[in-house]
Amino acid sequence: MARRAPYLSSRLQGLGTSIFAEMSALAERTGAINLGQGFPDTDGPAEVLEAAIAAIRSGQNQYPPGLGILPLREAIAAHQQRFWGLTYDPATEILVTAGATEAIAASILALCDTGDEVLTFEPTFDSYPAAAALAGARLRVVPVDDVAAAAAAVTPRTRLLLLNSPHNPTGKVFSRDELAALAELCVEHDLLAVTDEVYEHLVYDGAHLPLATFPGMRERTVTVSSAGKTFSVTGWKIGWACAPAPLLEAVRTAKQHLTYVNGAPFQPAVAVGLALGDDYFDGLRDSLRAKRDLLCNGLEAAGLTVLRPAATYFATVDLRPLGEDDGLAFCRALPERCGVVAIPSG
Ligand code: PMP
């Protein structure tokens, strides 16, 4: 039984220090190479960084509009059209948020009543249980490789499907067939969907397909993404939600009372990034694919069993062939053993 944290409300018990914070602190303390926290070791494109500096110098330092600045909402709309063929009206269907994290939390807070259930796949990104807890909602999880289990997990209280594809930490990209089945499930049970697509441009094998492109889904889906991974600026925390106007209005109401607005000078810079040519997006993907191969080939050459990710920043190693069955203990000992920090999962 976990220790009861003093002062912390009963809603948030058990949601103490995230494993990422613990392991990053361990990296700092031991000087180990931190392969645990999901951020890149290279800076974003120079034009994007320069645009943020120019925005600060030109005085874009006060509260931006509630939905985000129009040029960024226009750039997000153009991006959704260009890459995924999805059409959103920048005036009413796009909201800029404090990262994808806030877009997801605001969506769950806005759309779920106490006791509602949020269906998602595990392992989950660690903000999902917290966002559900804040909303008084219940997370129902099914294994990430078992889409059929999702159908069995729907109850009369299920309000929405929270889908992360490409998936952190497995690197799975949900297939067209799996997404079609999930879309049918949402339509059949009249579920809303919130999709976390922060790795949309980090796909090395296969193709990313937004759930909102499937029949009956655009009108019931909040599509979430962010600039962090796409432009290697995870500290900027500029994210967005795209949804039909009535859904977006609900999400906006929650966002308004969480942060009101965010990241004024970063917003025009992300607009510059979203308008970069295909060479930028292709180059990012190709360079990360080469890094994935380098890491996975090296781990395999060292005799480890690697689950090679089709996407994202994360490669998973199966420790069981080494006779290890406690991932947390293994990861806590790893910096001392070989100067590397990793994250246990599953
Ligand atoms: N969702 C997933 C699956 C992630 O991996 C991350 C970042 N690690 C986020 C959301 C958070 O994105 P942001 O920094 O834009 O809030």
Side-chain angles (χ1 to χ4, degrees), residues 10 80 83-84 87 101 106 109 112 122-123 192 204 217 240 243 313:
S10 53
Q80 293 305 93
F83 288 98
W84 315 125
T87 306
T101 307
L109 285 165
C112 290
E122 68 176 351
L192 299 171
Y204 319 124
M217 290 311 292
W240 49 87
Y313 285 151

Side-chain angles (χ1 to χ4, degrees), residues 68 101 128 135 150 164 174-175 188 237 244 249 277 285 298 322 334 339:
T101 307
Y128 298 178
N164 174 214
F174 281 67
S175 70
E188 183 188 337
K237 299 296 286 191
E249 183 57 38
R285 186 196 57 223
L322 299 179
L334 206 54

Side-chain angles (χ1 to χ4, degrees), residues 202-241:
L202 277 56
V203 175
Y204 319 124
D205 306 317
H208 172 62
L209 293 168
L211 191 62
T213 60
F214 285 75
M217 290 311 292
R218 187 194 179 280
E219 60 262 39
R220 62 179 71 245
T221 301
V222 182
T223 298
V224 171
S225 192
S226 101
K229 316 292 147 106
T230 300
F231 302 111
S232 305
V233 289
T234 58
W236 285 11
K237 299 296 286 191
I238 299 292
W240 49 87

Side-chain angles (χ1 to χ4, degrees), residues 20 37-38 98-102 104 125 127-128 164 166-168 196 198-199 225-229 234 237-239 313-314:
F20 299 99
Q37 186 86 48
T101 307
E102 189 195 33
I104 293 161
F125 180 55
S127 84
Y128 298 178
N164 174 214
H167 182 258
N168 171 5
D196 176 349
V198 300
Y199 297 102
S225 192
S226 101
K229 316 292 147 106
T234 58
K237 299 296 286 191
I238 299 292
Y313 285 151
F314 310 100

Side-chain angles (χ1 to χ4, degrees), residues 92-182:
T92 57
E93 297 187 316
I94 295 176
L95 172 69
V96 177
T97 58
T101 307
E102 189 195 33
I104 293 161
S107 297
I108 293 175
L109 285 165
L111 303 173
C112 290
D113 276 314
T114 305
D116 280 353
E117 291 176 1
V118 172
L119 180 59
T120 195
F121 292 95
E122 68 176 351
T124 71
F125 180 55
D126 66 347
S127 84
Y128 298 178
L134 288 169
R138 211 138 65 82
L139 211 59
R140 277 186 74 96
V141 293
V142 295
V144 70
D145 55 0
D146 192 355
V147 166
V154 173
T155 77
R157 289 311 303 260
T158 311
R159 174 68 164 150
L160 62 86
L161 171 71
L162 174 54
L163 178 69
N164 174 214
S165 181
H167 182 258
N168 171 5
T170 62
K172 169 180 171 150
V173 180
F174 281 67
S175 70
R176 182 181 292 277
D177 287 351
E178 287 174 322
L179 294 166
L182 290 172

Side-chain angles (χ1 to χ4, degrees), residues 151-339:
V154 173
T155 77
R157 289 311 303 260
T158 311
R159 174 68 164 150
L160 62 86
L161 171 71
L162 174 54
L163 178 69
N164 174 214
S165 181
H167 182 258
N168 171 5
T170 62
K172 169 180 171 150
V173 180
F174 281 67
S175 70
R176 182 181 292 277
D177 287 351
E178 287 174 322
L179 294 166
L182 290 172
E184 277 176 28
L185 188 70
C186 291
V187 171
E188 183 188 337
H189 295 281
D190 199 20
L191 307 182
L192 299 171
V194 177
T195 63
D196 176 349
E197 305 184 18
V198 300
Y199 297 102
E200 61 190 327
H201 290 293
L202 277 56
V203 175
Y204 319 124
D205 306 317
H208 172 62
L209 293 168
L211 191 62
T213 60
F214 285 75
M217 290 311 292
R218 187 194 179 280
E219 60 262 39
R220 62 179 71 245
T221 301
V222 182
T223 298
V224 171
S225 192
S226 101
K229 316 292 147 106
T230 300
F231 302 111
S232 305
V233 289
T234 58
W236 285 11
K237 299 296 286 191
I238 299 292
W240 49 87
C242 302
L247 261 180
L248 194 91
E249 183 57 38
V251 178
R252 179 200 179 165
T253 302
K255 189 255 171 5
Q256 179 172 268
H257 298 297
L258 290 170
T259 55
Y260 181 50
V261 292
N262 61 283
F266 299 126
Q267 293 195 18
V270 172
V272 168
L274 289 168
L276 289 173
D278 289 348
D279 54 334
Y280 170 72
F281 294 90
D282 294 346
L284 174 78
R285 186 196 57 223
D286 292 349
S287 92
L288 283 165
R289 183 194 285 120
K291 290 179 183 176
R292 174 202 63 174
D293 290 342
L294 186 68
L295 178 64
C296 292
N297 292 348
L299 290 167
E300 277 171 6
L304 297 164
T305 308
V306 182
L307 309 177
R308 193 171 284 249
T312 75
Y313 285 151
F314 310 100
T316 300
V317 170
D318 188 353
L319 298 175
R320 289 167 299 188
L322 299 179
E324 300 276 355
D325 60 2
D326 184 342
L328 182 57
F330 182 88
C331 288
R332 282 183 173 148
L334 206 54
E336 295 297 337
R337 286 174 72 180
C338 60

